[in-house]
């Protein structure tokens, strides 16, 4: 499972889970979240919150600043 994290802490409501149908089967996951960061630096990441090691390829993270 993957989830967005804010300053190192996973955001539970963003957990993305997939179940592969076969060994080496590729899957897609996606999610969207609005994070309000009022004039402070924040570390936003996607992290593995599951117990199984996974490999992520061609990941896209789009950040938009809303003034």
């Amino acid at each position: 499972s993957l989830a967005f994290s804010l300053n190192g802490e996973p955001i539970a409501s963003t957990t993305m889970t997939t179940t592969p149908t076969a060994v080496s089967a590729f899957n897609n996951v996606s999610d969207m979240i609005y994070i309000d960061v009022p004039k402070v630096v924040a570390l936003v990441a996607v992290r593995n919150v599951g117990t199984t090691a996974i490999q992520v390829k061609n990941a896209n993270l789009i950040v938009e600043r809303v003034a």
Side-chain angles (χ1 to χ4, degrees):
S1 297
L2 297 171
F4 285 105
S5 66
L6 179 59
N7 297 323
E9 294 297 320
I11 303 169
S13 63
T14 65
T15 300
M16 300 163 275
T17 304
T18 183
T19 305
T21 56
V23 175
S24 297
F26 297 103
N27 291 298
N28 296 313
V29 294
S30 67
D31 202 350
M32 184 174 74
I33 187 170
Y34 177 83
I35 300 173
D36 187 20
V37 182
K39 297 183 182 180
V40 181
V41 176
L43 175 63
V44 178
V46 177
R47 64 184 280 186
N48 182 1
V49 294
T51 57
T52 305
I54 60 171
Q55 185 177 33
V56 176
K57 291 184 177 181
N58 301 322
N60 292 295
L61 182 63
I62 299 170
V63 177
E64 180 179 348
R65 181 177 179 198
V66 179

